[in-house]
């Protein structure tokens, strides 16, 4: 009895295994389906995919959907192709100017940064000028000046001369 | 400036003009698909070329390296703009208490937006920045996984993985909206 039961279960198990294998195969095939359609797969793998597509309606349906998507993009591209696309005259001029005058171009491109830096420099300069003026204004008034007058100190010079002469005489008498 | 230096500069400018002529249309289209605003697109592409002239040390000529470099720089500028714009819009919506609505792409004066372009743009806008970039590079620009990997610094397998999820997401959305 047990043997009969076991025999009945066997085909079910085989079917489940086959479905599982098939699903796994579908997943494998679908992951390279776009590569196959773009001719990016090697010939051996392409043959495998082609063989599978012949047998599997699900994968065939996905392939058809992907092909329709590609066709839509190609149609869109074909409609755009008639329109010539070139850089506008304005952009071309700007580009040539950037190549021949890189510094001017850099300033134009970064005009916000340049404006900020220029403003900061002007403000710092202004602050320095104001500080200098304030320091000058706050400086105290100078006191009375003493002028050297040769006549006023002439008696000191005479005294020194006299003392030197006396000193010399003393040394000679000794 | 000496005569030889002037000549070198003139030669470099002439080569630069050639590079601009070769890539401007592709870059304008690429950026326009990401930012959906013609004036901003022009600004971004102009700045990308200026950066190229200043930063590119090797010979200025049409090449795969310059192409990858231009796409990478243009993309970064576009993403910077989108992030700034998103922050501004979020702030505005917070004040206005409005739900975000889909804005049709602006590709400049005289450019008629077709139904397909509007639908594609709407589907694209539901993706993340990275997914949008990869879809535009792959589907519109028809770049290979290897080229996309060079532009984005992602591995080739990662490019395939992200693209698969993005395409599946858009296909599901467009199907549920009965667009496809």
């Amino acid at each position: 009895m047990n043997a009969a039961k076991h025999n009945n279960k066997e085909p079910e198990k085989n079917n489940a295994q086959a479905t599982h294998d098939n699903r796994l195969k579908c997943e494998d095939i679908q992951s390279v389906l776009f590569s196959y359609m773009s001719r990016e797969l090697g010939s051996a793998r392409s043959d495998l995919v082609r063989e599978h597509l012949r047998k599997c309606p699900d994968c065939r349906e996905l392939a058809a959907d992907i092909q329709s998507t590609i066709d839509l993009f190609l149609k869109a591209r074909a409609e755009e192709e008639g329109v010539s696309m070139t850089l506008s005259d304005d952009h071309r001029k700007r580009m040539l100017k950037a190549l021949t005058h890189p510094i001017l171009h850099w300033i134009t491109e970064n005009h916000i940064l340049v404006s900020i830096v220029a403003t900061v420099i002007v403000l710092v300069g202004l602050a320095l000028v104001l500080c200098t003026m304030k320091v000058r204004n706050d400086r105290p008034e100078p006191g009375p000046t003493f002028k050297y007058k040769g006549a006023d100190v002439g008696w000191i010079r005479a005294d020194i001369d006299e003392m030197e002469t006396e000193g010399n005489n003393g040394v000679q008498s000794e | 400036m000496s005569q030889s230096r002037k000549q070198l500069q003139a030669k470099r400018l002439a080569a630069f003009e050639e590079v601009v002529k070769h890539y401007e249309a592709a870059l304008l289209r690429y950026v326009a698909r990401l930012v959906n605003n013609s004036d901003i697109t022009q600004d971004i592409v102009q700045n990308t070329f200026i950066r190229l002239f200043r930063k590119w040390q090797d010979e200025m000529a049409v090449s795969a390296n310059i192409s990858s470099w231009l796409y990478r720089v243009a993309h970064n500028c576009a993403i910077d703009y989108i992030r700034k714009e998103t922050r501004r819009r979020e702030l505005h919506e917070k004040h206005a208490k409005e739900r975000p609505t889909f804005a049709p792409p602006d590709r400049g004066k005289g450019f008629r937006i077709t139904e397909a372009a509007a639908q594609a743009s709407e589907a694209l806008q539901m993706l993340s920045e990275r997914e949008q970039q990869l879809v535009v590079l792959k589907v519109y620009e028809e770049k290979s996984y290897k080229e996309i990997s060079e532009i984005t610094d992602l591995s080739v397998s990662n490019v395939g993985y992200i693209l698969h999820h993005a395409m599946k997401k858009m296909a599901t959305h467009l199907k549920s909206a009965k667009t496809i």
Side-chain angles (χ1 to χ4, degrees):
Chain A
M1 191 149 174
N2 274 346
K5 225 178 186 178
H6 181 75
N7 283 342
N8 282 342
K9 274 187 179 174
E10 201 55 37
E12 278 175 27
K13 200 179 170 186
N14 285 343
N15 279 343
Q17 187 64 38
T19 317
H20 179 69
D21 286 350
N22 196 39
R23 202 169 57 232
L24 262 184
K25 210 169 178 196
C26 279
E27 279 170 15
D28 291 344
I29 294 295
Q30 286 179 11
S31 67
V32 292
L33 204 51
F34 181 69
S35 301
Y36 165 73
M37 293 163 80
S38 322
R39 296 170 199 276
E40 292 277 356
L41 274 191
S43 60
R45 288 176 84 192
S46 293
D47 289 345
L48 277 176
V49 175
R50 202 176 300 118
E51 191 57 35
H52 179 87
L53 284 177
R54 210 170 286 152
K55 291 176 197 163
C56 180
D58 289 348
C59 289
R60 257 203 317 272
E61 195 186 340
L62 181 63
D65 291 347
I66 291 177
Q67 189 55 53
S68 303
T69 309
I70 296 171
D71 290 344
L72 177 75
F73 277 83
L74 293 182
K75 194 180 167 198
R77 190 185 70 173
E79 287 164 353
E80 284 176 14
E81 228 124 77
V83 182
S84 77
M85 288 192 91
T86 51
L87 278 172
S88 68
D89 287 345
D90 188 34
H91 281 85
R92 200 173 281 274
K93 267 182 211 163
R94 259 193 278 165
M95 186 170 74
L96 287 175
K97 196 176 161 193
L99 303 181
T100 45
H101 304 287
I103 296 171
L104 268 180
H105 176 255
W106 188 87
I107 291 171
T108 321
E109 286 290 300
N110 302 286
H111 60 277
I112 297 175
L113 180 72
V114 172
S115 316
I116 292 169
V117 171
T119 313
V120 168
I121 290 172
V122 168
L123 286 176
V124 168
L126 213 63
L128 277 175
V129 169
L130 287 173
C131 280
T132 317
M133 281 169 73
K134 195 174 182 317
V135 167
R136 273 191 190 164
N137 290 340
D138 291 352
R139 194 180 288 168
E141 286 289 317
T145 52
F146 297 95
K147 285 181 184 170
Y148 170 75
K149 288 176 184 172
D152 292 343
V153 292
W155 60 274
I156 299 171
R157 188 73 237 163
D159 275 3
I160 291 168
D161 290 345
E162 196 178 326
M163 280 160 74
E164 278 177 352
T165 321
E166 276 174 11
N168 287 339
N169 288 342
V171 171
Q172 279 173 5
S173 63
E174 278 174 17
Chain B
M1 201 189 281
S2 69
Q3 194 66 23
S4 62
R5 220 177 140 192
K6 263 185 185 174
Q7 278 175 349
L8 269 178
Q9 178 82 346
K11 210 175 157 188
R12 199 157 183 261
L13 264 173
F16 173 76
E17 274 287 320
E18 281 299 309
V19 171
V20 172
K21 247 186 236 171
H22 193 271
Y23 289 110
E24 66 180 328
L27 276 186
L28 284 166
R29 263 194 269 275
Y30 174 64
V31 176
R33 282 175 188 129
L34 294 176
V35 302
N36 280 326
N37 183 312
S38 67
D39 291 336
I40 302 297
T41 299
Q42 293 265 339
D43 284 348
I44 288 173
V45 173
Q46 173 210 279
N47 287 338
T48 304
F49 281 126
I50 292 172
R51 278 197 203 181
L52 173 79
F53 189 82
R54 286 189 186 153
K55 305 253 164 97
W56 195 257
Q57 300 296 324
D58 300 337
E59 192 195 351
M60 191 79 75
V62 173
S63 67
N65 284 348
I66 276 200
S67 171
S68 298
W69 192 93
L70 284 171
Y71 274 102
R72 196 162 45 233
V73 172
H75 174 78
N76 290 341
C77 293
I79 291 302
D80 284 348
Y81 165 77
I82 291 168
R83 286 187 185 152
K84 250 187 244 168
E85 188 61 15
T86 311
R87 269 200 299 271
R88 195 191 61 77
R89 208 184 303 149
E90 275 172 3
L91 204 70
H92 175 76
E93 275 159 14
K94 217 174 171 182
H95 287 302
K97 290 184 180 171
E98 285 170 357
R99 280 172 63 83
T101 49
F102 166 68
D106 163 24
R107 300 277 161 80
K109 282 173 197 166
F111 192 92
R112 193 174 59 86
I113 292 297
T114 60
E115 197 184 348
Q119 285 165 346
S121 181
E122 187 181 357
L124 206 58
Q125 280 182 34
M126 58 172 281
L127 301 178
S128 69
E129 285 163 5
R130 180 59 91 188
E131 288 171 334
Q132 279 185 36
Q133 180 193 22
L134 297 198
V135 169
V136 170
L137 285 171
K138 182 67 202 162
V139 185
Y140 279 130
E141 305 295 322
E142 292 186 337
K143 301 271 180 206
S144 68
Y145 280 11
K146 194 170 173 287
E147 286 171 312
I148 297 175
S149 152
E150 277 162 14
I151 293 169
T152 56
D153 285 334
L154 290 169
S155 67
V156 171
S157 56
N158 212 357
V159 168
Y161 179 79
I162 296 172
L163 271 172
H164 155 69
H165 280 284
M167 293 309 292
K168 199 174 169 185
K169 214 188 281 181
M170 284 198 297
T172 314
H173 169 76
L174 290 169
K175 202 177 182 187
S176 65
K178 293 188 176 155
T179 308
I180 56 170

